[in-house]
Structures are given as structure tokens and as C-alpha cells.
Amino acid sequence: MNRTLSTLALVLAASLSMAQPRTFKVVTDKLEYRNLATVESVTDFETFTGRTPKVTGTLNFDLAKKTGTGNIVVDVASIDTGIALRNDHMRGGQWLDAEKHPTIKFQTTRVAHVSGDKYRVTGQFTMRGVTKTITTDATVKFRKNSAETKAAGFDGDVILLQTAFKVRLSDYGIKIPSQAAGKVSNDVAISVKAYALGN
Amino acid sequence: MTRWAKLLFGVAGLALLLGAATFFVEKSYADKAVLVQRVQIDSAASGLFGESEPTPIGSPQLMIIDDPKAFLTSGDPNGARLVDDAYLQEKGIYPLQLKTVEFTAGTVRLAAFGIGGLLAVLGWFAGRRRARKPEPSSNPV
């Protein structure tokens, strides 16, 4: 009897713990290279992609209810387009202004489960100090701590978050210089892939 | 024909030749260009989450990459050839896009034909002015 009660208590505790939102932190340090934030800009001359692994943030995810909140922060100064001079321009005051606005942020305000690993996420996107509400699709995959996660280099429960969306530069106070008008698209495509470990 | 007219026609000819050459240069690059999707490979992490494809970096672009080792054996569902971005970075390769070649060739062509045409017109005028220049009169007044 006692054994049965203990087992039930354990199952109940496990269920409750699963039902609670859990905090996952985006991996940094030696696993940071696995994260990838990209920004793609289309110009007449070239379609270039800036990229950085410097993504931080926290996800509070309820595995049972399939909902949660979270924030993702991308370090602007580390975005690399493959050409040093262009990096300088992009970080400069006319474009992303990394000195005054060192991060690009996304803070969720509403997360709705769509199906499987797919979610519809609404949140506050901040770039160059301007915040706008955007809605995008995201994929959130969870893997429980196991031999497989360890083999992949993750020490604990791990979440993979992926999302992609487009923003208009002009919405964020970025004015394309007159000499580049018509040659540089006002829209840029942003994507984020980040791994987060459970506490 | 004056020396000036000859010079102007000569430079105009060279400019027009340069403009015409851009067609051939562009064509030779276009023949070598392939649709490329740059990717980040992390097999361990991708495998853990059941992802069959590496992570794309940007969208597929027509690129000219001479190093065959940069290409992965697999392609993507859209028909683009996958290229390991880490390999490109390691080798210091910044792939040339066909778009860049087309833009540069188009700009050079426009400038060459524009300048060539202008110089040819100037050369024609220079030749005409010389031809029309009146001979000094031999009749005493």
C-alpha cells in the first residue's frame, strides 16, 4: 500500500513538475557557436547575409500546456557580413547604430500553439531603439535530458527554437541614403535559431 | 582627318570594344554560376532534433565558387547545391554572386557605350570642323 502511494505521489509530482512552466536559457560559452541569427538584405549589387552566434535569452515554456513566454537578444556589433567595411557601415549610425543600440530584442506577448512543434508568436520587436509589435511563426522542439542529448553536447533538457520573419527598415528609423535609394531593399529577412538548456 | 578626330575615334573604338567585351565576360561567369545555399552544419544537434537538412544561412543565390570541395554531396529540396559556410570561412572564400557580375558588367557597359558614343560624336564634329575650315583667299582685294 505504502509502495503504491509512494509511486502515485512520484507520478503526481512528476506530472506537476511537467505542468509547470520551466525556464530555459539560450546556450552561451562553448555551445554558443550552435546559435545562429541572420539578417539578409537584398541590394542591386548583391544579396548579403549578416550572421552571428551571439544570441542570448530566456524561454519560460510549459511543456504540458504548450505555451510560454520568452525573450531573445541578438548582439548587433557581432553581426558579420563577410566584408569588414560593410560591417562597419552596418554598425554605424546610418544603419543599426550598434553604439547607441547594441542589441536587437524580441519579447513575446502571446504564444499560441498551432500544431506539433509549431507556434504562432506575437511580441515586441526592438531594433535601433524602435519597438514594434510583430507576429511570426516559430518552431519549438524539446528533448529531455538523455544519452542522446549528452552525445550531442547538451547537459540537460534542451529546447531548439527557430523563427524567421521580415521587417521594414523604415519602420525602425533606418533611412536608406539617397544614393542607395532603389538599390537597397527596405525589407530585411531575419532568422534566429537558438538552443536553450533547462535549469 | 585631324589628329584630334583620330584620337577621339580611337578612344571611342576602345570604349565600344570594352562595352562589347562585358557581354562575353558576363556570359562566361553566368556559365559557371550555380544556385547555392550556404549552410551551417551541426550534425549532432540537427540529428538530435530530427532535422535532415543543415541550417540555411540566407536564401539560395546564383554564385561562382571555383573550389569543388566547398560543395556538399547533398542538395536542398529547391535544387540548390549546399555549401558549407565554415569551409568558406576557413579558406577565406567570399563567393562571388552572379548578381554582382551582372551589376558590374551592366555599369561598365553603360559607361563604355555612353563614353564611346560621346567620343565618336565629338570625333565626327572635330573632323567636320577641319573639313569646313575655309581656305585662305588667293584673290587680292
Side-chain angles (χ1 to χ4, degrees):
Chain A
M1 181 68 177
N2 278 345
R3 210 174 186 182
T4 313
L5 279 174
S6 303
T7 310
L8 275 172
L10 272 172
V11 169
L12 189 64
S15 305
L16 282 171
S17 70
M18 287 291 281
Q20 297 293 316
R22 290 189 51 198
T23 302
F24 294 82
K25 286 204 163 177
V26 174
V27 296
T28 52
D29 300 330
K30 63 180 179 164
L31 291 176
E32 184 183 69
Y33 73 94
R34 289 188 151 154
N35 299 325
L36 178 67
T38 69
V39 53
E40 185 178 63
S41 175
V42 179
T43 74
D44 280 358
F45 186 70
E46 188 182 19
T47 298
F48 69 88
T49 305
R51 50 174 296 183
T52 178
K54 291 203 174 292
V55 180
T56 54
T58 306
L59 308 171
N60 296 301
F61 194 63
D62 190 325
L63 296 161
K65 291 180 182 166
K66 287 191 172 289
T67 188
T69 60
N71 69 83
I72 291 290
V73 179
V74 176
D75 177 55
V76 175
S78 65
I79 298 174
D80 180 20
T81 66
I83 295 177
L85 184 64
R86 185 165 57 200
N87 291 345
D88 290 345
H89 282 161
M90 193 184 61
R91 294 166 191 158
Q94 200 155 34
W95 297 95
L96 295 178
D97 201 357
E99 202 172 307
K100 280 189 192 160
H101 309 288
T103 57
I104 294 172
K105 298 176 202 165
F106 183 73
Q107 172 70 55
T108 65
T109 52
R110 197 163 67 89
V111 176
H113 181 234
V114 178
S115 66
D117 301 322
K118 309 284 181 199
Y119 294 82
R120 192 84 178 137
V121 180
T122 302
Q124 300 287 301
F125 180 74
T126 305
M127 184 165 75
R128 209 177 183 267
V130 178
T131 301
K132 300 266 178 191
T133 299
I134 63 164
T135 298
T136 180
D137 292 321
T139 302
V140 180
K141 292 179 179 176
F142 170 76
R143 292 291 179 268
K144 194 158 179 55
N145 188 19
S146 65
E148 284 77 27
T149 56
K150 279 193 173 65
F154 297 108
D155 190 17
D157 294 350
V158 59
I159 272 181
L160 167 62
L161 164 75
Q162 286 176 290
T163 187
F165 51 90
K166 282 189 173 180
V167 295
R168 293 196 148 190
L169 294 175
S170 54
D171 288 347
Y172 296 88
I174 299 170
K175 197 177 171 190
I176 295 169
S178 56
Q179 65 268 29
K183 295 175 187 150
V184 178
S185 173
N186 190 31
D187 295 336
V188 292
I190 291 174
S191 77
V192 175
K193 178 176 186 172
Y195 295 91
L197 279 172
N199 289 339
Chain B
M1 193 183 283
T2 65
R3 208 179 69 182
W4 272 110
K6 279 181 188 169
L7 183 70
L8 289 169
F9 275 125
V11 178
L14 286 175
L16 295 175
L17 210 62
L18 175 68
T22 59
F23 285 110
F24 297 102
V25 172
E26 191 178 330
K27 173 78 168 63
S28 74
Y29 277 105
D31 289 345
K32 287 195 281 182
V34 289
L35 190 64
V36 166
Q37 174 63 67
R38 292 165 76 166
V39 292
Q40 175 174 284
I41 301 171
D42 186 352
S43 308
S46 299
L48 178 65
F49 287 95
E51 297 187 316
S52 54
E53 301 290 331
T55 309
I57 298 172
S59 58
Q61 300 297 324
L62 282 166
M63 289 181 178
I64 298 111
I65 298 175
D66 289 328
D67 187 345
K69 287 182 192 161
F71 294 96
L72 303 178
T73 49
S74 56
D76 86 343
N78 302 317
R81 294 189 69 186
L82 302 182
V83 165
D84 181 4
D85 197 60
Y87 180 85
L88 296 180
Q89 288 193 347
E90 183 193 317
K91 297 286 176 187
I93 300 170
Y94 186 83
L96 180 64
Q97 290 184 16
L98 182 61
K99 197 178 189 181
T100 307
V101 175
E102 287 171 343
F103 183 85
T104 309
T107 306
V108 170
R109 189 156 51 233
L110 193 69
F113 285 148
I115 291 168
L118 186 70
L119 291 178
V121 170
L122 287 173
W124 181 74
F125 272 116
R128 268 185 60 141
R129 275 188 63 186
R130 180 66 180 172
R132 281 185 174 180
K133 201 170 179 183
E135 292 294 318
S137 175
S138 56
N139 295 333
V141 180

